[in-house]
Amino acid sequence: MYIQLLDLACGAFLLTGVLVLWRRELSAIVWLFALQGVALTALVVILGVRQDSPELIMIGVGVGALRAGLLPYLMRRALVAGGAGRETQPLVNVATSLLVAAALAMLAYALSQPLVRLSPTPATQTVPIALTVLLIGFFVLVTRRRALSQLVGFLLMDNAITATAFLTTSGVPLVVELGISLDVLLAVLVLQVLTTWMCAAFGGTDLDELRELHD
Amino acid sequence: MSVVGATLQVVFVGVGAPLLVGVMRQARARLEGRAGAGIRQPWRDLRKLMRKQAITPHGTGWVFRAAPLLLAGTTLVVAAVVPLVTTDSPLDGVADLFAVTALLALGSVALALGALDTGTAFGGMGASREMTVLALVEPTILVSTFALSIKAGSTSLGAIVTATADNPLSVISPVSVLAAIALAIVTIAETGRIPLDNPSTHLELTMIHEAMVLEYAGPDLALVEWASAMRLSVLLGLLAGLFFPLGIAGADAGPLALAVASIALVLKVGVLGVVLAVGEVFMAKLRLFRVPELLAGSFLLALLAVAASFFLA
């Protein structure tokens, strides 16, 4: 049952990551990101229950509050402030990027083989999934034009890094996790301020339009 | 017993498929605030069409006349071999998923050739669109069922369903979830429903299936309509059997088990049909050039299902 629940949480984690590539509406992307936060929370809590460690469960709840609650809330506010609700035209079209995601998944599986072989437990066997989401997040980050969807790409990468950390080391010290989470929160706050500024200054957040410097 | 089970399946699909279409239309009508024509209306339509004189357009050849027969024939064979009521099929030796996919594709290709044979603009357009969708659907069906067959250790559909029925908890795994979503999308694509195709239009330039059958009339049209309804119920039944094999009779099952399995099949397919109809009410049709995106997405999900089945096993 433990293995199945863990696999299911990982599956949901992967599915939400892939669907981010698929959808064009920014509000849907933010919603998917929140769902991924829920999947990540479930992942950490399942690991915590398995290892009987209240600390890990606490961290899981904290991670959930941040990634499924606060960050999507902040992004939704930025979205409302930003106005336009669609990713206009990604640099790579959606059908191609889905196929690229398939190739990235294969790459992640190939790369994580040595890592899995170090200690083949059910938890480490799911590491390829976290790496796939990491690569997909990076792909979103480099191919999207809107500031907000680039932000989601960045946060996907961060979710994946967190997931990898929990899956491989089975328990990051609380201090480290807190530090990382605060960093991420700070980054999002800064980017939100930036987005609002960009909207105020240029009337949009399409980064390809920003070619010249204003003062 | 296996012959009885297979016969039951063919009878159920043959008789029940138009009723399923009727149920779906009725569900849509009720949700849209209309009274609806009743669930037996598709059968009444078929009867009316069967009584008409058989005519073929001027200049068409045997391909045009053979296409409906081939479509209906392949669908009936698929209905006999796919595990709907029982996993124990008399054709089990040849009834693996490759054969089933090839049979379904053969029917589609026959219909597309028939449409090309008319030489009209609509027929050619419909055929080319159908081939575009088919080219994207086939690999997805194969890859996603391949993901399921890794668990069962066999590509025979009966073996896959038996393995799932023996261990129902195995459905709650990323492999099954991803493969289920991929298969659901290709089922919708293969049967020509919203969001890929609108089965109730005849005038829209975006239609796929209806453009191909525009030149058919009378008994030929009845055959095509009946076969499309059967394809829909077979694919929905396959979806239900692969991911929710509750009640399907195993090998050497008695008459009681077969009866239970039949009721379970009717219920499952009915529920799936109503869910599909409800989804159609709340959804708009995708523009044609967005369709490859959707199908590429389902192919990706199927591929991830295969990858997951190797790494999480």
mmCIF file of all heavy atoms in Angstrom, chain A residues 1 4 7-8 11 14-15 18 22 24 94-95 98-99 101-102 105-106 109 113 125-126 128-129 132, chain B residues 169-170 172-174 177-178 181 185 290 292-294 296-301 303-304 307-308 311-313:
data_model
loop_
_atom_site.group_PDB
_atom_site.id
_atom_site.type_symbol
_atom_site.label_atom_id
_atom_site.label_comp_id
_atom_site.label_asym_id
_atom_site.label_seq_id
_atom_site.Cartn_x
_atom_site.Cartn_y
_atom_site.Cartn_z
ATOM 1 N N MET A 1 0.840 -1.200 0.000
ATOM 2 C CA MET A 1 0.000 0.000 0.000
ATOM 3 C C MET A 1 0.874 1.250 0.000
ATOM 4 O O MET A 1 0.595 2.221 -0.696
ATOM 5 C CB MET A 1 -0.897 -0.033 1.251
ATOM 6 C CG MET A 1 -2.139 0.819 1.115
ATOM 7 S SD MET A 1 -3.159 0.240 -0.256
ATOM 8 C CE MET A 1 -4.198 1.658 -0.479
ATOM 9 N N GLN A 4 2.271 1.784 -3.403
ATOM 10 C CA GLN A 4 1.266 2.259 -4.357
ATOM 11 C C GLN A 4 0.927 3.723 -4.124
ATOM 12 O O GLN A 4 0.826 4.506 -5.065
ATOM 13 C CB GLN A 4 0.012 1.395 -4.257
ATOM 14 C CG GLN A 4 0.067 0.242 -5.231
ATOM 15 C CD GLN A 4 -0.685 -0.955 -4.748
ATOM 16 O OE1 GLN A 4 -1.294 -0.925 -3.690
ATOM 17 N NE2 GLN A 4 -0.646 -2.011 -5.509
ATOM 18 N N ASP A 7 3.825 5.809 -5.319
ATOM 19 C CA ASP A 7 3.847 5.868 -6.785
ATOM 20 C C ASP A 7 2.749 6.763 -7.308
ATOM 21 O O ASP A 7 2.929 7.511 -8.272
ATOM 22 C CB ASP A 7 3.696 4.460 -7.372
ATOM 23 C CG ASP A 7 4.977 3.665 -7.252
ATOM 24 O OD1 ASP A 7 5.950 4.252 -6.747
ATOM 25 O OD2 ASP A 7 4.999 2.500 -7.646
ATOM 26 N N LEU A 8 1.582 6.690 -6.659
ATOM 27 C CA LEU A 8 0.451 7.494 -7.106
ATOM 28 C C LEU A 8 0.749 8.976 -6.919
ATOM 29 O O LEU A 8 0.485 9.795 -7.817
ATOM 30 C CB LEU A 8 -0.802 7.112 -6.323
ATOM 31 C CG LEU A 8 -2.094 7.631 -6.921
ATOM 32 C CD1 LEU A 8 -2.302 6.988 -8.271
ATOM 33 C CD2 LEU A 8 -3.253 7.325 -6.006
ATOM 34 N N GLY A 11 3.048 9.946 -9.546
ATOM 35 C CA GLY A 11 2.347 10.040 -10.826
ATOM 36 C C GLY A 11 1.609 11.355 -10.951
ATOM 37 O O GLY A 11 1.653 12.013 -11.987
ATOM 38 N N LEU A 14 4.052 14.128 -11.614
ATOM 39 C CA LEU A 14 4.493 14.148 -13.012
ATOM 40 C C LEU A 14 3.396 14.666 -13.929
ATOM 41 O O LEU A 14 3.636 15.508 -14.808
ATOM 42 C CB LEU A 14 4.890 12.728 -13.411
ATOM 43 C CG LEU A 14 5.347 12.521 -14.850
ATOM 44 C CD1 LEU A 14 6.601 13.309 -15.095
ATOM 45 C CD2 LEU A 14 5.608 11.062 -15.113
ATOM 46 N N LEU A 15 2.173 14.191 -13.696
ATOM 47 C CA LEU A 15 1.052 14.543 -14.569
ATOM 48 C C LEU A 15 0.817 16.050 -14.557
ATOM 49 O O LEU A 15 0.664 16.680 -15.612
ATOM 50 C CB LEU A 15 -0.195 13.796 -14.110
ATOM 51 C CG LEU A 15 -1.403 13.879 -15.018
ATOM 52 C CD1 LEU A 15 -1.069 13.244 -16.342
ATOM 53 C CD2 LEU A 15 -2.586 13.186 -14.391
ATOM 54 N N VAL A 18 3.467 17.811 -16.534
ATOM 55 C CA VAL A 18 3.317 17.692 -17.983
ATOM 56 C C VAL A 18 2.176 18.580 -18.478
ATOM 57 O O VAL A 18 2.268 19.236 -19.518
ATOM 58 C CB VAL A 18 3.068 16.219 -18.358
ATOM 59 C CG1 VAL A 18 2.635 16.111 -19.796
ATOM 60 C CG2 VAL A 18 4.325 15.417 -18.145
ATOM 61 N N TRP A 22 0.943 21.781 -21.510
ATOM 62 C CA TRP A 22 -0.153 21.567 -22.436
ATOM 63 C C TRP A 22 -1.101 22.759 -22.477
ATOM 64 O O TRP A 22 -1.615 23.133 -23.533
ATOM 65 C CB TRP A 22 -0.907 20.323 -21.973
ATOM 66 C CG TRP A 22 -1.810 19.690 -22.940
ATOM 67 C CD1 TRP A 22 -2.328 20.252 -24.074
ATOM 68 C CD2 TRP A 22 -2.332 18.374 -22.868
ATOM 69 N NE1 TRP A 22 -3.135 19.339 -24.692
ATOM 70 C CE2 TRP A 22 -3.158 18.189 -23.979
ATOM 71 C CE3 TRP A 22 -2.194 17.330 -21.960
ATOM 72 C CZ2 TRP A 22 -3.832 16.992 -24.209
ATOM 73 C CZ3 TRP A 22 -2.863 16.161 -22.199
ATOM 74 C CH2 TRP A 22 -3.657 16.004 -23.313
ATOM 75 N N ARG A 24 -2.705 26.570 -22.182
ATOM 76 C CA ARG A 24 -2.282 27.904 -22.573
ATOM 77 C C ARG A 24 -2.727 28.969 -21.587
ATOM 78 O O ARG A 24 -2.061 29.980 -21.430
ATOM 79 C CB ARG A 24 -2.866 28.241 -23.943
ATOM 80 C CG ARG A 24 -2.108 27.616 -25.078
ATOM 81 C CD ARG A 24 -2.274 28.490 -26.302
ATOM 82 N NE ARG A 24 -1.407 28.077 -27.384
ATOM 83 C CZ ARG A 24 -1.732 27.130 -28.242
ATOM 84 N NH1 ARG A 24 -2.878 26.527 -28.128
ATOM 85 N NH2 ARG A 24 -0.914 26.806 -29.212
ATOM 86 N N VAL A 94 3.019 24.043 -28.924
ATOM 87 C CA VAL A 94 2.647 23.132 -27.839
ATOM 88 C C VAL A 94 2.866 21.677 -28.216
ATOM 89 O O VAL A 94 3.409 20.893 -27.424
ATOM 90 C CB VAL A 94 1.185 23.386 -27.434
ATOM 91 C CG1 VAL A 94 0.740 22.375 -26.415
ATOM 92 C CG2 VAL A 94 1.047 24.772 -26.864
ATOM 93 N N ALA A 95 2.471 21.309 -29.458
ATOM 94 C CA ALA A 95 2.630 19.908 -29.863
ATOM 95 C C ALA A 95 4.104 19.506 -29.810
ATOM 96 O O ALA A 95 4.457 18.444 -29.286
ATOM 97 C CB ALA A 95 2.070 19.705 -31.258
ATOM 98 N N LEU A 98 5.397 19.115 -26.287
ATOM 99 C CA LEU A 98 4.981 17.861 -25.644
ATOM 100 C C LEU A 98 5.896 16.714 -26.059
ATOM 101 O O LEU A 98 6.279 15.877 -25.242
ATOM 102 C CB LEU A 98 3.536 17.544 -26.008
ATOM 103 C CG LEU A 98 2.498 18.406 -25.289
ATOM 104 C CD1 LEU A 98 1.140 18.208 -25.901
ATOM 105 C CD2 LEU A 98 2.464 18.078 -23.822
ATOM 106 N N LEU A 99 6.267 16.711 -27.350
ATOM 107 C CA LEU A 99 7.176 15.654 -27.800
ATOM 108 C C LEU A 99 8.564 15.835 -27.187
ATOM 109 O O LEU A 99 9.235 14.862 -26.831
ATOM 110 C CB LEU A 99 7.256 15.638 -29.326
ATOM 111 C CG LEU A 99 5.935 15.247 -29.985
ATOM 112 C CD1 LEU A 99 6.066 15.248 -31.489
ATOM 113 C CD2 LEU A 99 5.486 13.888 -29.504
ATOM 114 N N ALA A 101 9.038 17.029 -24.292
ATOM 115 C CA ALA A 101 8.899 16.528 -22.927
ATOM 116 C C ALA A 101 9.084 15.017 -22.878
ATOM 117 O O ALA A 101 9.681 14.492 -21.933
ATOM 118 C CB ALA A 101 7.541 16.915 -22.355
ATOM 119 N N ALA A 102 8.561 14.330 -23.906
ATOM 120 C CA ALA A 102 8.755 12.873 -23.951
ATOM 121 C C ALA A 102 10.246 12.546 -24.006
ATOM 122 O O ALA A 102 10.735 11.674 -23.276
ATOM 123 C CB ALA A 102 8.039 12.290 -25.162
ATOM 124 N N ALA A 105 11.842 13.121 -20.702
ATOM 125 C CA ALA A 105 11.552 12.057 -19.743
ATOM 126 C C ALA A 105 12.531 10.901 -19.924
ATOM 127 O O ALA A 105 13.090 10.381 -18.955
ATOM 128 C CB ALA A 105 10.114 11.577 -19.917
ATOM 129 N N MET A 106 12.756 10.546 -21.218
ATOM 130 C CA MET A 106 13.711 9.462 -21.491
ATOM 131 C C MET A 106 15.097 9.826 -20.959
ATOM 132 O O MET A 106 15.782 9.018 -20.328
ATOM 133 C CB MET A 106 13.812 9.224 -23.003
ATOM 134 C CG MET A 106 12.555 8.736 -23.636
ATOM 135 S SD MET A 106 12.152 7.111 -23.083
ATOM 136 C CE MET A 106 10.557 7.367 -22.403
ATOM 137 N N TYR A 109 15.230 9.483 -17.248
ATOM 138 C CA TYR A 109 15.323 8.086 -16.825
ATOM 139 C C TYR A 109 16.724 7.537 -17.040
ATOM 140 O O TYR A 109 17.267 6.814 -16.201
ATOM 141 C CB TYR A 109 14.305 7.244 -17.593
ATOM 142 C CG TYR A 109 12.907 7.403 -17.080
ATOM 143 C CD1 TYR A 109 11.869 7.783 -17.901
ATOM 144 C CD2 TYR A 109 12.635 7.188 -15.731
ATOM 145 C CE1 TYR A 109 10.591 7.941 -17.409
ATOM 146 C CE2 TYR A 109 11.363 7.353 -15.248
ATOM 147 C CZ TYR A 109 10.348 7.720 -16.084
ATOM 148 O OH TYR A 109 9.095 7.876 -15.608
ATOM 149 N N GLN A 113 19.661 6.510 -13.733
ATOM 150 C CA GLN A 113 19.945 5.098 -13.500
ATOM 151 C C GLN A 113 21.019 4.855 -12.437
ATOM 152 O O GLN A 113 20.789 4.099 -11.493
ATOM 153 C CB GLN A 113 20.353 4.435 -14.823
ATOM 154 C CG GLN A 113 19.198 3.829 -15.557
ATOM 155 C CD GLN A 113 18.435 2.850 -14.683
ATOM 156 O OE1 GLN A 113 18.909 1.760 -14.393
ATOM 157 N NE2 GLN A 113 17.263 3.250 -14.226
ATOM 158 N N GLN A 125 13.459 4.779 -6.433
ATOM 159 C CA GLN A 125 13.058 4.394 -7.781
ATOM 160 C C GLN A 125 12.177 5.452 -8.443
ATOM 161 O O GLN A 125 12.032 5.465 -9.658
ATOM 162 C CB GLN A 125 12.335 3.050 -7.747
ATOM 163 C CG GLN A 125 13.306 1.914 -7.946
ATOM 164 C CD GLN A 125 12.662 0.572 -7.800
ATOM 165 O OE1 GLN A 125 11.521 0.471 -7.365
ATOM 166 N NE2 GLN A 125 13.399 -0.459 -8.156
ATOM 167 N N THR A 126 11.597 6.327 -7.654
ATOM 168 C CA THR A 126 10.755 7.366 -8.249
ATOM 169 C C THR A 126 11.547 8.629 -8.567
ATOM 170 O O THR A 126 10.971 9.599 -9.054
ATOM 171 C CB THR A 126 9.599 7.723 -7.305
ATOM 172 O OG1 THR A 126 10.155 8.049 -6.046
ATOM 173 C CG2 THR A 126 8.635 6.590 -7.158
ATOM 174 N N PRO A 128 13.596 9.278 -10.999
ATOM 175 C CA PRO A 128 13.487 9.722 -12.406
ATOM 176 C C PRO A 128 12.309 10.647 -12.651
ATOM 177 O O PRO A 128 12.410 11.582 -13.453
ATOM 178 C CB PRO A 128 13.296 8.408 -13.172
ATOM 179 C CG PRO A 128 13.823 7.353 -12.304
ATOM 180 C CD PRO A 128 13.761 7.823 -10.914
ATOM 181 N N ILE A 129 11.198 10.420 -11.939
ATOM 182 C CA ILE A 129 10.022 11.275 -12.128
ATOM 183 C C ILE A 129 10.329 12.705 -11.698
ATOM 184 O O ILE A 129 10.022 13.664 -12.414
ATOM 185 C CB ILE A 129 8.832 10.689 -11.343
ATOM 186 C CG1 ILE A 129 8.323 9.455 -12.070
ATOM 187 C CG2 ILE A 129 7.737 11.714 -11.161
ATOM 188 C CD1 ILE A 129 7.129 8.836 -11.467
ATOM 189 N N THR A 132 12.457 14.270 -14.263
ATOM 190 C CA THR A 132 11.683 14.638 -15.450
ATOM 191 C C THR A 132 11.004 15.990 -15.239
ATOM 192 O O THR A 132 11.045 16.867 -16.102
ATOM 193 C CB THR A 132 10.607 13.574 -15.730
ATOM 194 O OG1 THR A 132 11.217 12.304 -15.743
ATOM 195 C CG2 THR A 132 9.925 13.835 -17.032
ATOM 196 N N LEU B 169 -5.889 -3.532 -6.749
ATOM 197 C CA LEU B 169 -5.175 -2.360 -6.246
ATOM 198 C C LEU B 169 -4.134 -1.863 -7.236
ATOM 199 O O LEU B 169 -3.691 -0.716 -7.156
ATOM 200 C CB LEU B 169 -4.492 -2.689 -4.922
ATOM 201 C CG LEU B 169 -5.357 -2.492 -3.681
ATOM 202 C CD1 LEU B 169 -4.558 -2.803 -2.441
ATOM 203 C CD2 LEU B 169 -5.885 -1.073 -3.628
ATOM 204 N N SER B 170 -3.736 -2.728 -8.178
ATOM 205 C CA SER B 170 -2.690 -2.321 -9.115
ATOM 206 C C SER B 170 -3.180 -1.222 -10.047
ATOM 207 O O SER B 170 -2.387 -0.606 -10.758
ATOM 208 C CB SER B 170 -2.210 -3.521 -9.931
ATOM 209 O OG SER B 170 -3.227 -3.930 -10.809
ATOM 210 N N ILE B 172 -4.317 1.527 -8.995
ATOM 211 C CA ILE B 172 -3.898 2.800 -8.410
ATOM 212 C C ILE B 172 -2.394 2.942 -8.567
ATOM 213 O O ILE B 172 -1.660 2.939 -7.589
ATOM 214 C CB ILE B 172 -4.233 2.872 -6.913
ATOM 215 C CG1 ILE B 172 -5.564 2.214 -6.627
ATOM 216 C CG2 ILE B 172 -4.281 4.307 -6.433
ATOM 217 C CD1 ILE B 172 -5.834 2.091 -5.164
ATOM 218 N N SER B 173 -1.910 3.022 -9.786
ATOM 219 C CA SER B 173 -0.487 3.264 -9.968
ATOM 220 C C SER B 173 -0.350 4.264 -11.101
ATOM 221 O O SER B 173 -1.261 4.411 -11.911
ATOM 222 C CB SER B 173 0.235 1.964 -10.320
ATOM 223 O OG SER B 173 -0.021 1.648 -11.653
ATOM 224 N N PRO B 174 0.768 5.003 -11.131
ATOM 225 C CA PRO B 174 0.943 5.997 -12.202
ATOM 226 C C PRO B 174 0.791 5.376 -13.578
ATOM 227 O O PRO B 174 0.257 5.999 -14.487
ATOM 228 C CB PRO B 174 2.362 6.508 -11.999
ATOM 229 C CG PRO B 174 2.726 6.138 -10.638
ATOM 230 C CD PRO B 174 1.916 4.961 -10.244
ATOM 231 N N VAL B 177 -2.907 5.073 -14.320
ATOM 232 C CA VAL B 177 -3.563 6.379 -14.402
ATOM 233 C C VAL B 177 -3.189 7.077 -15.709
ATOM 234 O O VAL B 177 -4.054 7.554 -16.452
ATOM 235 C CB VAL B 177 -3.185 7.241 -13.181
ATOM 236 C CG1 VAL B 177 -3.730 8.640 -13.335
ATOM 237 C CG2 VAL B 177 -3.730 6.622 -11.912
ATOM 238 N N LEU B 178 -1.874 7.106 -16.007
ATOM 239 C CA LEU B 178 -1.422 7.772 -17.235
ATOM 240 C C LEU B 178 -1.982 7.064 -18.462
ATOM 241 O O LEU B 178 -2.492 7.703 -19.391
ATOM 242 C CB LEU B 178 0.104 7.780 -17.292
ATOM 243 C CG LEU B 178 0.804 8.663 -16.264
ATOM 244 C CD1 LEU B 178 2.293 8.362 -16.239
ATOM 245 C CD2 LEU B 178 0.592 10.114 -16.573
ATOM 246 N N ILE B 181 -5.715 7.867 -18.937
ATOM 247 C CA ILE B 181 -6.013 9.184 -19.518
ATOM 248 C C ILE B 181 -5.708 9.171 -21.020
ATOM 249 O O ILE B 181 -6.499 9.646 -21.840
ATOM 250 C CB ILE B 181 -5.216 10.279 -18.792
ATOM 251 C CG1 ILE B 181 -5.636 10.333 -17.331
ATOM 252 C CG2 ILE B 181 -5.443 11.634 -19.437
ATOM 253 C CD1 ILE B 181 -4.816 11.255 -16.505
ATOM 254 N N ILE B 185 -8.492 9.675 -24.117
ATOM 255 C CA ILE B 185 -8.418 10.702 -25.162
ATOM 256 C C ILE B 185 -8.477 10.064 -26.544
ATOM 257 O O ILE B 185 -9.212 10.514 -27.416
ATOM 258 C CB ILE B 185 -7.132 11.538 -25.006
ATOM 259 C CG1 ILE B 185 -7.221 12.369 -23.735
ATOM 260 C CG2 ILE B 185 -6.937 12.455 -26.199
ATOM 261 C CD1 ILE B 185 -5.960 13.090 -23.406
ATOM 262 N N ARG B 290 -5.770 22.414 -33.467
ATOM 263 C CA ARG B 290 -5.397 22.134 -32.085
ATOM 264 C C ARG B 290 -5.454 20.635 -31.793
ATOM 265 O O ARG B 290 -4.959 20.185 -30.763
ATOM 266 C CB ARG B 290 -6.343 22.863 -31.122
ATOM 267 C CG ARG B 290 -6.200 24.367 -31.097
ATOM 268 C CD ARG B 290 -4.995 24.807 -30.283
ATOM 269 N NE ARG B 290 -4.996 24.307 -28.925
ATOM 270 C CZ ARG B 290 -5.607 24.919 -27.919
ATOM 271 N NH1 ARG B 290 -6.266 26.022 -28.124
ATOM 272 N NH2 ARG B 290 -5.558 24.411 -26.700
ATOM 273 N N PRO B 292 -3.926 17.961 -33.217
ATOM 274 C CA PRO B 292 -2.638 17.279 -33.038
ATOM 275 C C PRO B 292 -1.999 17.555 -31.685
ATOM 276 O O PRO B 292 -1.342 16.671 -31.121
ATOM 277 C CB PRO B 292 -1.783 17.854 -34.167
ATOM 278 C CG PRO B 292 -2.755 18.227 -35.203
ATOM 279 C CD PRO B 292 -3.960 18.708 -34.474
ATOM 280 N N GLU B 293 -2.234 18.753 -31.128
ATOM 281 C CA GLU B 293 -1.710 19.055 -29.791
ATOM 282 C C GLU B 293 -2.262 18.091 -28.754
ATOM 283 O O GLU B 293 -1.526 17.500 -27.965
ATOM 284 C CB GLU B 293 -2.146 20.459 -29.390
ATOM 285 C CG GLU B 293 -1.106 21.501 -29.543
ATOM 286 C CD GLU B 293 -1.699 22.869 -29.312
ATOM 287 O OE1 GLU B 293 -2.539 23.021 -28.409
ATOM 288 O OE2 GLU B 293 -1.334 23.778 -30.059
ATOM 289 N N LEU B 294 -3.593 17.939 -28.796
ATOM 290 C CA LEU B 294 -4.251 17.054 -27.836
ATOM 291 C C LEU B 294 -3.728 15.632 -27.985
ATOM 292 O O LEU B 294 -3.401 14.966 -27.001
ATOM 293 C CB LEU B 294 -5.761 17.095 -28.074
ATOM 294 C CG LEU B 294 -6.616 16.336 -27.084
ATOM 295 C CD1 LEU B 294 -6.589 17.021 -25.740
ATOM 296 C CD2 LEU B 294 -8.030 16.226 -27.579
ATOM 297 N N ALA B 296 -0.881 14.668 -29.403
ATOM 298 C CA ALA B 296 0.523 14.589 -28.997
ATOM 299 C C ALA B 296 0.610 14.479 -27.485
ATOM 300 O O ALA B 296 1.425 13.725 -26.946
ATOM 301 C CB ALA B 296 1.298 15.810 -29.485
ATOM 302 N N GLY B 297 -0.261 15.210 -26.792
ATOM 303 C CA GLY B 297 -0.288 15.128 -25.334
ATOM 304 C C GLY B 297 -0.633 13.729 -24.868
ATOM 305 O O GLY B 297 0.018 13.189 -23.970
ATOM 306 N N SER B 298 -1.624 13.109 -25.512
ATOM 307 C CA SER B 298 -2.000 11.775 -25.052
ATOM 308 C C SER B 298 -0.904 10.768 -25.394
ATOM 309 O O SER B 298 -0.668 9.833 -24.634
ATOM 310 C CB SER B 298 -3.343 11.353 -25.633
ATOM 311 O OG SER B 298 -3.218 11.047 -26.974
ATOM 312 N N PHE B 299 -0.198 10.995 -26.512
ATOM 313 C CA PHE B 299 0.928 10.118 -26.825
ATOM 314 C C PHE B 299 2.019 10.238 -25.759
ATOM 315 O O PHE B 299 2.594 9.253 -25.301
ATOM 316 C CB PHE B 299 1.506 10.472 -28.200
ATOM 317 C CG PHE B 299 2.717 9.656 -28.558
ATOM 318 C CD1 PHE B 299 2.588 8.316 -28.852
ATOM 319 C CD2 PHE B 299 3.972 10.218 -28.571
ATOM 320 C CE1 PHE B 299 3.692 7.553 -29.160
ATOM 321 C CE2 PHE B 299 5.082 9.462 -28.877
ATOM 322 C CZ PHE B 299 4.942 8.130 -29.181
ATOM 323 N N LEU B 300 2.279 11.485 -25.327
ATOM 324 C CA LEU B 300 3.285 11.702 -24.286
ATOM 325 C C LEU B 300 2.888 10.959 -23.014
ATOM 326 O O LEU B 300 3.720 10.304 -22.371
ATOM 327 C CB LEU B 300 3.423 13.204 -24.025
ATOM 328 C CG LEU B 300 4.215 13.586 -22.792
ATOM 329 C CD1 LEU B 300 5.639 13.136 -22.931
ATOM 330 C CD2 LEU B 300 4.178 15.083 -22.575
ATOM 331 N N LEU B 301 1.599 11.063 -22.629
ATOM 332 C CA LEU B 301 1.148 10.380 -21.418
ATOM 333 C C LEU B 301 1.344 8.869 -21.548
ATOM 334 O O LEU B 301 1.774 8.207 -20.599
ATOM 335 C CB LEU B 301 -0.316 10.700 -21.147
ATOM 336 C CG LEU B 301 -0.612 12.157 -20.804
ATOM 337 C CD1 LEU B 301 -2.077 12.335 -20.503
ATOM 338 C CD2 LEU B 301 0.215 12.601 -19.623
ATOM 339 N N LEU B 303 3.542 7.354 -23.395
ATOM 340 C CA LEU B 303 4.985 7.074 -23.335
ATOM 341 C C LEU B 303 5.477 7.110 -21.895
ATOM 342 O O LEU B 303 6.252 6.242 -21.456
ATOM 343 C CB LEU B 303 5.720 8.109 -24.171
ATOM 344 C CG LEU B 303 7.140 7.766 -24.541
ATOM 345 C CD1 LEU B 303 7.144 6.642 -25.540
ATOM 346 C CD2 LEU B 303 7.839 8.973 -25.114
ATOM 347 N N LEU B 304 4.989 8.114 -21.137
ATOM 348 C CA LEU B 304 5.380 8.198 -19.731
ATOM 349 C C LEU B 304 4.866 6.980 -18.965
ATOM 350 O O LEU B 304 5.526 6.507 -18.033
ATOM 351 C CB LEU B 304 4.823 9.471 -19.107
ATOM 352 C CG LEU B 304 5.472 10.764 -19.581
ATOM 353 C CD1 LEU B 304 4.782 11.952 -18.969
ATOM 354 C CD2 LEU B 304 6.945 10.785 -19.236
ATOM 355 N N ALA B 307 7.343 4.276 -19.605
ATOM 356 C CA ALA B 307 8.568 4.540 -18.856
ATOM 357 C C ALA B 307 8.351 4.250 -17.378
ATOM 358 O O ALA B 307 9.175 3.602 -16.721
ATOM 359 C CB ALA B 307 8.993 5.991 -19.065
ATOM 360 N N ALA B 308 7.203 4.697 -16.843
ATOM 361 C CA ALA B 308 6.929 4.484 -15.424
ATOM 362 C C ALA B 308 6.814 2.997 -15.108
ATOM 363 O O ALA B 308 7.244 2.547 -14.052
ATOM 364 C CB ALA B 308 5.656 5.215 -15.020
ATOM 365 N N PHE B 311 10.214 1.685 -14.490
ATOM 366 C CA PHE B 311 11.036 2.175 -13.390
ATOM 367 C C PHE B 311 10.396 2.026 -12.029
ATOM 368 O O PHE B 311 11.086 2.005 -11.023
ATOM 369 C CB PHE B 311 11.414 3.628 -13.640
ATOM 370 C CG PHE B 311 12.496 3.727 -14.645
ATOM 371 C CD1 PHE B 311 12.211 3.750 -15.987
ATOM 372 C CD2 PHE B 311 13.813 3.729 -14.246
ATOM 373 C CE1 PHE B 311 13.215 3.792 -16.916
ATOM 374 C CE2 PHE B 311 14.821 3.773 -15.172
ATOM 375 C CZ PHE B 311 14.522 3.804 -16.519
ATOM 376 N N LEU B 312 9.064 1.962 -11.994
ATOM 377 C CA LEU B 312 8.413 1.843 -10.690
ATOM 378 C C LEU B 312 8.073 0.406 -10.358
ATOM 379 O O LEU B 312 7.614 0.121 -9.274
ATOM 380 C CB LEU B 312 7.143 2.689 -10.673
ATOM 381 C CG LEU B 312 7.357 4.179 -10.935
ATOM 382 C CD1 LEU B 312 6.049 4.910 -10.897
ATOM 383 C CD2 LEU B 312 8.313 4.759 -9.920
ATOM 384 N N ALA B 313 8.298 -0.496 -11.309
ATOM 385 C CA ALA B 313 7.899 -1.883 -11.061
ATOM 386 C C ALA B 313 8.709 -2.488 -9.914
ATOM 387 O O ALA B 313 9.855 -2.170 -9.722
ATOM 388 C CB ALA B 313 8.075 -2.705 -12.320
#
